[in-house]
Amino acid sequence: MKKQLCLLLAFVILTGLATACRPAAATPTPAGPRTLVLMSHDSFAVSEDVIAEFEEAHNAKVQFLPSGDAGAALNQAILSKANPLADVFFGVDNTFLSRALQAGIFEPYKPRGLENVPDELKLDPEYRLVPVDYGDVCLNYDKSYFEEKGLTPPQTLEDLTRPELKGLTVVENPATSSPGLCFLLATVGHFGESGDYTYLDFWRDMRANDVLVTEGWEDAYWGQSTWAGEGNRPIVVSYATSPAAEVYFSEGALEEPPTGNVLGDGACFRQIEFVGILKGTKNRDLAEAFIDFMLSEHFQEDIPLQMWVFPANEKAALPQVFLDFAEIPERPAVVSPEAIAKNREAWIEAWTEVVLR
Amino acid sequence: MNEWMNGRMMNDKHLLFAYSHIRTFTIRYSPFAIRLLPLVFLAVFFFYPLLAIFRLSLAPQGHLDLAAPAKLVSTTYYARTLWFTTWQATVSTLLTVILAMPGAYIFARYRFPGKSLLQALTTVPFVMPTIVVAAAFNALLGPRSHLNLALMALFGLQRPPINLQHTIWIILLAHVFYNYTVVLRIVGGFWANLNPRLEEAARLLGADSWRAFWQVTLPLLAPALVAAALLVFIFCFTSFGVVLILGGPRFATLEVEIYRQTVHLFNLPLAATLSLAQITLTLAMTSVYTRLQARTARPLQLRPQQTTQRWPTTWRDRALVGGNVVFMVVLLLTPLLALAERSLWTGRGYALTNYSELFVNRRGSVFFVPPVEAVRNSLAFAALTVGLALVLGVIGAYLLADRKSRLSRWLDPIFMLPLGTSAVTLGFGYIIALDRPPLNLRTSPLLIPIAHTLVAFPFVVRAVLPVLRGIHPHLRESASVLGASPARVWREIDLPIVSRALLVGAVFAFTISMGEFGATSLIARPQMPTMPIAIYRFLGQPGALNYGQALAMSTLLMLVCAMGFLSIERFRYGEVGEF
């Protein structure tokens, strides 16, 4: 019996080891393909055939290193600066841009294809980080809820404080959530910090109008919304592409999005995502080739359906569901990365004071 | 004698020599070397990375920078956070223990149909991702739940009467939901081997059943009870997802604050200070516990289960067993069933669409996870964790069981420390500490079972130690006197008695590894996605199909875990009877 136990234990450990060590066995031989390591946040996604094209063209193997949410991934890249974990890092957004640049972890590189990217997306003049995609954080509302109740859906931020919309809105906590922070930034950009109605006045009114704050997007969207979750709130901070995703992921059940976007002036915040070459890479040429490739039309056209954001390259064709249902706000709120880096903590602190305490 | 024979003899001689060499080695040195294993493991994978991140955070220029600790005391916010962390953990622990004790009793003393299945199912909550549990609670108790709608219709109410969302009540409820099984298994397992004669004797001498429990059984149970309570307390003390998601933004534990400071504000000095505070408090708590435990533990007459368990015969027995079973089903199983039900819902009716879609890579994504692969990865990591945690945990428990050694008083709190340490702090410690050979493990898949073992191994220690201390020394002495070697004494006395506790430990190690998401989500990891990771990927994008697939994967996770528990429990130490 003891023997049996020992055998079982040995078996358990060996199978575990065998499986766990499998990828480590694939060490590249000198003649074999080189490996390029791409570190990213967990939301990164790409099609197999797109990556295969790059791998074939450059006799390379791309290894992915998803490393938590955007903040956690970037912080790990900064901490491992002396001995980088990867060659390329994708997923710094404009709210983290200054932190990333100040940490000095990226090598400048001006990729081919950057001329097809609109100038307002290029935020680093030294090209340490170059834009790959962008998307807008917006409020989604449940169309059928407003129809049934005979209410006019909100169109602007100001509308949200109307008494008849009391208790209908969910936002994410800017202290713990990326869309939550973006939405706070939209209100900072739109209402400003001074004048007779500042962003904090707006949030005071939101609190009076019974706004609900959740920890993250998942809880807000799946937990609290009337259309996707078990909740009873028809207005949720999400992305401008979410209505299109609802149609795409409905198994053909929906022909129209169940939700609409609140696209009024300054009601949205544009999130731009960047890629850069990590300082200390031993595969600089391959890393450069990969960033060129990320801006190429093939990669860029793959972005929308994988990550539900817009490609930075204007020449990239959009998929049908984007052409039909994905909306782009005309005038999103603008806050510079420097201002974000400088005031992030103070704004969050002030917001917490007004909304939560 | 031909060449061949000659060669063979030579080999044999060599073998013999080598063998005797190994023998002396094992006998003379291995106990010490083996004893060191858990300490070496902790030193390399816990203390070293932790010190590295603390040094980087608090003394980036080589000298200690005390600005952050100063900030900590400059506002009352952190003191309030600490106060909330402590009292919610205390109340959660008390509630869990009180609610789970009757359950532990019926599992210890009765046989009833479906018992092992129920026991397996009560452990499933432990592995469920918080966001999925939040959805289940919402479906059952939320504003649009059947319960609320029924109450509104019944009493003609305008607003849903039950509104637990973002209240302390839902935090407490969730903590009981998650940790019920810890008390059930650790206390129930220990209780099952307690000799019921003692209590019967007390009854014969005139004590009523309450008094017999209070004065005889409870003191005997104390070591296991305190061990389980300590585990639950530390879990609630470092609670993260439950407080963040269910509790909402108005509640924060130290763990939540550490995460915020590390990930969102990148304020490492402050995060490290908070982390140190959390570790110190855990250490203080476990030191108190060690004293308590040393006082409560006593040698016991442990009995095999067959002799302590019976079928419920009287109506009182049946009411007791039935009542507790109903309670467990309502508290622990209805949320799980609600999820399973939702996973079959497609918006137009019930179908297996969400399950069949799991197997299709519609968008040709590189990150598509075939369910079979997710299950296999999860099981492989869990198997490694179980193996590592059992080996280290048993050795650790022996180190502590030796009451004569002063060492054990020091070691015990140290063994518990990983449980009380913030996952994000340790994860970042790995990034900076394990970055060069021979320990270049930063992106190795092995780091995952290692991280899981750090959490799982204290569970094994806690499960095994009370039993080990309960083994009557006379048993071992008699065996030795009768001529048994130390190895044989271990095999024939210790192992059968400890085997049940080992199973409890194995189940928890398995559970922790299958469900763990926090720590692994915070470290860079190669593409070996586990089931929880697959669930979170689905939840990351809008659309009904994504939600359905997340729930389908969650239901698979429940099934795989339940089957895992059932098969682990099949390994009984047969010959000597079920202990």
Side-chain angles (χ1 to χ4, degrees):
Chain A
M1 195 60 209
K2 184 201 171 198
K3 205 188 253 173
Q4 228 169 306
L5 269 181
C6 287
L7 275 178
L8 173 78
L9 204 65
F11 170 75
V12 154
I13 294 179
L14 284 177
T15 20
L17 271 175
T19 319
C21 292
R22 204 169 29 95
T27 38
T29 50
R34 292 162 64 195
T35 302
L36 179 87
V37 184
L38 172 68
M39 189 172 178
S40 70
H41 53 59
D42 285 345
S43 309
F44 174 70
V46 59
S47 292
E48 280 167 337
D49 57 339
V50 171
I51 287 302
E53 183 194 291
F54 176 82
E55 290 180 337
E56 268 164 44
H58 295 88
N59 188 26
K61 176 94 194 71
V62 182
Q63 196 192 323
F64 300 95
L65 210 58
S67 308
D69 63 26
L74 174 64
N75 294 353
Q76 289 181 61
I78 295 175
L79 283 177
S80 58
K81 141 167 129 175
N83 188 358
L85 283 157
D87 304 298
V88 175
F89 185 95
F90 168 78
V92 178
D93 71 7
N94 40 334
T95 67
F96 283 121
L97 187 87
S98 285
R99 180 190 296 176
L101 294 180
Q102 273 162 19
I105 56 170
F106 293 106
E107 294 179 0
Y109 172 62
K110 189 176 181 185
R112 269 185 287 160
L114 202 61
E115 62 279 3
N116 299 323
V117 175
D119 284 341
E120 64 262 30
L121 298 182
K122 298 172 194 163
L123 296 181
D124 177 26
E126 293 174 45
Y127 305 109
R128 289 161 293 181
L129 285 167
V130 291
V132 174
D133 64 63
Y134 68 94
D136 295 285
V137 170
C138 284
L139 291 147
N140 292 175
Y141 63 86
D142 185 345
K143 286 183 190 164
S144 58
Y145 181 95
F146 284 92
E147 262 164 44
E148 277 164 29
K149 303 263 161 161
L151 284 168
T152 326
Q155 269 134 33
T156 60
L157 290 180
E158 287 82 355
D159 283 349
L160 295 177
T161 57
R162 283 184 349 221
E164 66 267 31
L165 298 191
K166 187 170 176 143
L168 300 189
T169 309
V170 191
V171 302
E172 296 88 1
N173 186 352
T176 50
S177 149
S178 160
L181 176 64
C182 289
F183 187 67
L184 169 62
L185 293 174
T187 65
V188 171
H190 182 64
F191 296 107
E193 290 179 90
S194 54
D196 37 326
Y197 194 79
T198 67
Y199 78 105
L200 288 176
D201 292 321
F202 168 77
W203 282 107
R204 238 168 247 127
D205 289 345
M206 286 299 282
R207 180 178 189 166
N209 224 16
D210 191 22
V211 65
L212 179 75
V213 182
T214 65
E215 176 267 338
W217 178 86
E218 282 87 350
D219 186 29
Y221 203 84
W222 304 121
Q224 312 298 341
S225 80
T226 44
W227 67 91
E230 327 277 351
N232 58 350
R233 298 206 171 220
I235 309 171
V236 176
V237 171
S238 185
Y239 297 87
T241 54
S242 304
E246 285 288 347
V247 176
Y248 185 84
F249 290 111
S250 73
E251 285 289 279
L254 298 175
E255 284 173 9
E256 285 280 310
T259 49
N261 284 313
V262 178
L263 295 174
D265 278 1
C268 303
F269 180 82
R270 182 154 296 168
Q271 215 174 358
I272 309 165
E273 287 192 296
F274 300 84
V275 69
I277 300 175
L278 285 168
K279 225 176 230 173
T281 170
K282 293 184 182 70
N283 299 302
R284 166 93 196 188
D285 56 326
L286 203 56
E288 286 180 3
F290 192 75
I291 292 189
D292 291 345
F293 179 70
M294 280 184 99
L295 288 181
S296 74
E297 273 143 53
H298 193 192
F299 190 99
Q300 289 277 309
E301 285 173 3
D302 186 50
I303 287 177
L305 289 185
Q306 291 290 352
M307 295 194 271
W308 295 90
V309 286
F310 286 89
N313 183 338
E314 284 179 316
K315 287 203 173 146
L318 290 173
Q320 195 58 42
V321 67
F322 264 64
L323 294 173
D324 291 343
F325 305 118
E327 297 178 292
I328 299 184
E330 275 173 34
R331 274 183 290 277
V334 176
V335 186
S336 74
E338 297 77 37
I340 297 172
K342 199 170 134 239
N343 301 313
R344 177 194 206 97
E345 200 171 346
W347 285 335
I348 293 176
E349 196 51 46
W351 178 93
T352 309
E353 203 57 49
V354 165
V355 179
L356 296 179
R357 284 187 195 140
Chain B
M1 194 182 287
N2 58 32
E3 282 293 310
W4 180 80
M5 282 287 280
N6 206 354
R8 200 191 136 98
M9 273 197 48
M10 275 291 289
N11 278 347
D12 277 355
K13 234 186 241 164
H14 272 290
L15 269 178
L16 207 65
F17 175 74
Y19 183 55
S20 64
H21 196 73
I22 290 168
R23 261 180 67 110
T24 34
F25 181 80
T26 18
I27 289 165
R28 207 177 292 159
Y29 303 102
S30 77
F32 186 67
I34 287 177
R35 262 180 227 178
L36 280 181
L37 268 180
L39 300 176
V40 171
F41 184 83
L42 280 183
V44 174
F45 296 113
F46 182 71
F47 286 107
Y48 169 55
L50 211 55
L51 286 176
I53 186 79
F54 283 155
R55 207 182 58 190
L56 180 87
S57 307
L58 293 173
Q61 263 84 46
H63 53 87
L64 206 59
D65 184 359
L66 289 174
K71 188 179 170 189
L72 208 62
V73 282
S74 71
T75 119
T76 58
Y77 175 71
Y78 298 101
R80 276 182 287 137
T81 305
L82 173 62
W83 168 236
F84 171 73
T85 311
T86 315
W87 80 253
Q88 64 80 19
T90 312
V91 176
S92 299
T93 310
L94 284 175
L95 269 179
T96 311
V97 168
I98 292 168
L99 291 173
M101 278 299 274
Y105 174 71
I106 66 152
F107 268 98
R109 288 294 185 241
Y110 292 101
R111 285 166 216 199
F112 51 90
K115 187 175 163 185
S116 50
L117 181 67
L118 184 64
Q119 176 151 352
L121 291 176
T122 54
T123 309
V124 171
F126 210 79
V127 301
M128 298 311 287
T130 327
I131 188 94
V132 177
V133 169
F137 280 173
N138 230 341
L140 291 172
L141 301 169
R144 277 159 57 204
S145 63
H146 293 303
L147 186 62
N148 259 328
L149 294 180
L151 287 173
M152 281 163 79
L154 198 63
F155 298 106
L157 301 168
Q158 287 298 311
R159 297 187 134 255
I162 302 174
N163 187 10
L164 297 181
Q165 177 165 287
H166 293 188
T167 62
I168 182 67
W169 304 109
I170 195 103
I171 296 181
L172 297 177
L173 177 67
H175 281 160
V176 175
F177 174 78
Y178 274 109
N179 297 312
Y180 185 95
T181 184
V182 176
V183 179
L184 185 72
R185 281 186 184 263
I186 292 185
V187 177
F190 188 79
W191 205 337
N193 296 136
L194 274 190
N195 193 345
R197 291 272 163 75
L198 288 168
E199 198 171 327
E200 283 159 19
R203 297 289 303 278
L204 274 178
L205 292 171
D208 59 25
S209 57
W210 179 246
R211 198 165 153 209
F213 170 77
W214 200 249
Q215 298 196 332
V216 177
T217 311
L218 200 60
L220 293 175
L221 276 181
L225 192 62
V226 184
L230 179 74
L231 287 172
V232 175
F233 183 86
I234 296 182
F235 258 95
C236 299
F237 189 72
T238 57
S239 184
F240 180 72
V242 167
V243 175
L244 259 182
I245 294 169
L246 290 162
R250 281 192 180 81
F251 298 102
T253 52
L254 281 181
E255 184 84 19
V256 169
E257 203 50 48
I258 294 168
Y259 174 79
R260 259 190 44 152
Q261 294 296 338
T262 314
V263 170
H264 293 276
L265 301 173
F266 206 36
N267 188 343
L268 290 184
L270 190 54
T273 312
L274 289 169
S275 226
L276 269 175
Q278 195 184 21
I279 291 172
T280 313
L281 284 165
T282 312
L283 198 63
M285 222 93 65
T286 42
S287 304
V288 172
Y289 156 82
T290 317
R291 295 279 152 89
L292 256 176
Q293 167 124 22
R295 219 181 303 158
T296 54
R298 68 201 78 210
L300 300 164
Q301 289 184 303
L302 297 175
R303 288 279 172 273
Q305 269 182 59
Q306 296 102 314
T307 64
T308 67
Q309 296 186 339
R310 58 197 158 95
W311 291 91
T313 44
T314 64
W315 68 267
R316 252 193 85 181
D317 285 355
R318 289 206 189 102
L320 188 66
V321 172
N324 272 293
V325 170
V326 169
F327 177 76
M328 283 181 231
V329 169
V330 170
L331 176 76
L332 307 172
L333 299 192
T334 41
L336 304 180
L337 289 174
L339 286 179
E341 187 254 355
R342 252 327 236 103
S343 75
L344 294 165
W345 181 253
T346 61
R348 279 172 292 192
Y350 291 103
L352 286 171
T353 324
N354 293 325
Y355 290 85
S356 55
E357 280 295 316
L358 283 179
F359 293 86
V360 191
N361 189 359
R362 281 241 182 269
R363 288 176 290 161
S365 170
V366 163
F367 293 93
F368 169 71
V369 187
V372 181
E373 197 186 315
V375 171
R376 201 193 53 209
N377 288 344
S378 277
L379 285 177
F381 288 138
L384 266 177
T385 306
V386 170
L388 271 173
L390 279 187
V391 170
L392 296 173
V394 169
I395 301 170
Y398 268 93
L399 279 179
L400 300 186
D402 185 2
R403 243 166 308 186
K404 271 170 271 169
S405 95
R406 291 193 140 263
L407 192 67
S408 90
R409 203 177 288 168
W410 290 103
L411 274 186
D412 202 344
I414 287 177
F415 282 172
M416 298 298 285
L417 268 193
L419 274 185
T421 303
S422 158
V424 62
T425 308
L426 195 61
F428 279 19
Y430 281 168
I431 296 280
I432 55 169
L434 305 179
D435 68 337
R436 45 185 67 87
L439 282 172
N440 192 3
L441 290 173
R442 287 186 304 180
T443 63
S444 158
L446 279 177
L447 211 49
I448 292 170
I450 286 171
H452 291 174
T453 302
L454 277 178
V455 181
F457 132 94
F459 266 87
V460 180
V461 173
R462 290 278 77 87
V464 172
L465 188 59
V467 185
L468 216 50
R469 280 188 174 151
I471 298 178
H472 214 286
H474 289 169
L475 280 175
R476 291 190 188 122
E477 283 158 20
S478 327
S480 298
V481 169
L482 291 172
S485 65
R488 188 149 175 222
V489 172
W490 187 77
R491 197 170 66 224
E492 306 217 347
I493 307 287
D494 292 30
L495 190 57
I497 297 180
V498 172
S499 66
R500 192 175 170 76
L502 276 181
L503 286 178
V504 173
V507 166
F508 279 118
F510 179 80
T511 318
I512 284 162
S513 179
M514 290 297 287
E516 208 280 335
F517 176 72
T520 34
S521 74
L522 290 167
I523 49 179
R525 54 189 188 271
Q527 267 180 289
M528 289 194 67
T530 57
M531 297 175 83
I533 285 173
I535 294 171
Y536 274 92
R537 276 204 85 88
F538 286 124
L539 288 174
Q541 291 192 342
L545 188 59
N546 285 318
Y547 189 59
Q549 284 179 273
L551 294 188
M553 191 55 110
S554 305
T555 311
L556 279 186
L557 178 64
M558 292 188 229
L559 288 177
V560 170
C561 287
M563 285 191 296
F565 302 145
L566 285 174
S567 46
I568 290 177
E569 278 168 32
R570 291 194 79 84
F571 281 94
R572 286 283 153 83
Y573 206 75
E575 290 160 25
V576 263
E578 285 183 20
F579 251 94

